[in-house]
């Protein structure tokens, strides 16, 4: 049984609570472009959360990842319905097209959008697809295939791809020409990575299958010199099931799938605090960029396994 299936079962066990109107997941339940600067405020202050787009049936309406193209569209991967969706700043659906098991979404240094495919547990193939966000009817094309068991995606300024694997050791590096950098992957000795974020010459990775819920820092030019920024779990019962993460105003913001939280982490000290709580199985968080009135200096967006898309504004 893969981690994705176990995560689905865990999420399914929370559906009744969500449908009953519970506002918080029970705690006891088992670069391409320069990083955006976001004013998150003091660590002790939480954020306001509002629904940008309503979800449907939890888990069945699972939205896995999201990314802004900087041109006014928010792109979302709908893992269960096998589609990538494009939303306008007012929340309306602009476009949608099929991708088998879409996962991590990122904008590349070339302005194109990239999305992992084959992320669902029954997929027989996996890899990366590319599409033009400016096209009236985007048509995804395969960049690289033959990589199963992937989830998260990051892209550095040189156009190299990094793919996380929840049940394997080593983050897969793929060069811009589609060839794999096997040596780099072996040196990036991280097991169970999920969220990935490139900040300058560093790659940050959250681990979903490590019981200590760590966040790692991996130098792009020397992956063997990785360090651990923090461990967010005290013990097995406190395991966070860390999902995607983003960088904002000098901090990392990590989605805790299990606890329904966004956790703010200082990458220099490892100090952490809860930025937002009461979410329904959040799987990804990104900083708004070029998205109408939603200022990149004050707004984060989140997708959930509940199907909702949330707008999170630090106080």
């Amino acid at each position: 049984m893969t981690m994705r299936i176990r995560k689905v079962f865990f999420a399914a066990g929370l559906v009744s609570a969500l449908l009953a109107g519970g506002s918080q997941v029970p705690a006891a339940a088992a670069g391409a472009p320069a990083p955006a600067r976001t004013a998150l405020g003091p660590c002790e202050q939480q954020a306001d959360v509002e629904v940008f787009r309503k979800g449907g049936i939890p888990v069945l309406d699972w939205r896995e990842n999201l990314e802004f193209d900087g041109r006014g569209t928010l792109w979302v991967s709908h893992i269960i319905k096998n589609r990538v969706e494009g939303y306008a700043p007012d929340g309306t659906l602009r476009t949608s097209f099929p991708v088998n098991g879409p996962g991590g979404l990122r904008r590349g240094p070339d302005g194109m959008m990239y999305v992992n495919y084959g992320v669902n547990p029954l997929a027989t193939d996996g890899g990366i697809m590319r599409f033009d966000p400016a096209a009236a009817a985007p048509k995804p094309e395969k960049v690289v295939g033959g990589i199963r068991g992937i989830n998260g995606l990051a892209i550095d300024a040189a156009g190299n791809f990094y793919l996380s694997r929840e049940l394997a050791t080593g983050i897969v590096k793929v060069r811009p020409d589609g060839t794999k950098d096997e040596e780099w992957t072996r040196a990036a000795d991280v097991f169970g990575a999920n969220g990935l974020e490139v900040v300058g010459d560093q790659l940050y990775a959250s681990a979903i299958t490590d019981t200590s819920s760590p966040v790692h820092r991996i130098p792009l030019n020397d992956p063997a010199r990785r360090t651990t920024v923090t461990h967010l779990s005290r013990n097995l019962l406190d395991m966070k099931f860390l999902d995607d993460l983003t960088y904002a105003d000098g901090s990392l913001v990590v989605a805790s799938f299990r606890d329904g939280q966004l956790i703010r982490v200082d990458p220099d000290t490892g100090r952490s605090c809860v930025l937002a709580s009461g979410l329904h199985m959040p799987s990804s968080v990104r900083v708004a960029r070029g998205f109408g009135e939603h200022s990149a200096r004050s707004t984060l967006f989140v997708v959930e396994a509940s199907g909702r898309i949330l707008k999170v504004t630090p106080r």
Side-chain angles (χ1 to χ4, degrees), residues 2 5 14 48 60 77 81 88 105 111 118 122 131 147 175 183 190 230 242 247 282 290-291 300:
T2 67
I5 294 175
L14 300 178
D48 295 318
L60 295 181
S77 55
K81 293 185 178 179
L105 264 165
L122 301 179
F131 64 91
I147 312 175
R175 302 181 184 93
E183 182 178 356
V190 173
T230 187
L242 295 182
Y247 178 83
F291 196 53
L300 300 166

Side-chain angles (χ1 to χ4, degrees), residues 114-280:
Y114 294 83
V115 58
N116 289 349
Y117 73 91
V119 174
N120 67 54
L122 301 179
T124 58
D125 185 26
I128 307 170
M129 303 196 84
R130 170 178 56 214
F131 64 91
D132 184 354
K139 297 180 179 180
E141 60 179 3
K142 184 184 294 187
V143 175
V144 62
I147 312 175
R148 296 182 62 185
I150 59 175
N151 190 316
L153 174 66
I155 310 173
D156 66 22
N160 294 295
F161 304 97
Y162 303 88
L163 299 96
S164 64
R165 301 182 292 180
E166 296 174 332
L167 287 174
T169 299
I171 296 167
V172 178
K173 179 180 178 180
V174 178
R175 302 181 184 93
D177 63 3
T179 61
K180 300 175 186 177
D181 190 336
E182 302 285 2
E183 182 178 356
W184 195 100
T185 295
R186 286 192 297 270
D189 187 22
V190 173
F191 178 79
N194 189 308
L196 300 174
E197 175 80 318
V198 171
V199 182
D201 60 358
Q202 307 289 317
L203 175 68
Y204 290 90
S206 59
I208 193 170
T209 49
D210 189 318
T211 57
S212 68
S213 303
V215 176
H216 302 292
R217 180 191 296 110
I218 306 163
L220 294 179
N221 296 327
D222 192 358
R225 295 184 58 193
R226 74 168 176 87
T227 56
T228 300
V229 176
T230 187
H231 296 278
L232 293 174
S233 296
R234 299 180 299 273
N235 51 57
L236 177 61
L237 296 178
D238 189 41
M239 187 175 176
K240 303 295 183 184
F241 283 90
L242 295 182
D243 217 300
D244 204 8
L245 77 166
T246 194
Y247 178 83
D249 195 35
S251 295
L252 299 170
V253 180
V254 192
S256 171
F257 186 88
R258 176 192 144 165
D259 291 342
Q261 297 174 339
L262 296 182
I263 302 173
R264 180 179 175 182
V265 175
D266 186 322
D268 296 322
T269 67
R271 179 173 176 250
S272 65
C273 65
V274 175
L275 181 66
S277 58
L279 283 60
H280 302 161

Side-chain angles (χ1 to χ4, degrees), residues 4 7 61-66 76-77 79 102-104 106 151-152 166 194-196 206 208 241-246 253-258 260-262 279-286 301-308 310:
R4 177 63 50 181
K7 188 173 168 187
D61 199 36
W62 191 318
R63 286 177 170 85
E64 172 67 14
N65 212 274
L66 74 162
V76 176
S77 55
I79 191 170
R106 291 294 181 266
N151 190 316
E166 296 174 332
N194 189 308
L196 300 174
S206 59
I208 193 170
F241 283 90
L242 295 182
D243 217 300
D244 204 8
L245 77 166
T246 194
V253 180
V254 192
S256 171
F257 186 88
R258 176 192 144 165
Q261 297 174 339
L262 296 182
L279 283 60
H280 302 161
M281 301 169 288
S283 58
S284 185
V285 54
R286 302 299 291 166
F301 277 73
V302 177
V303 288
E304 303 176 322
S306 73
R308 300 189 305 175
L310 304 177

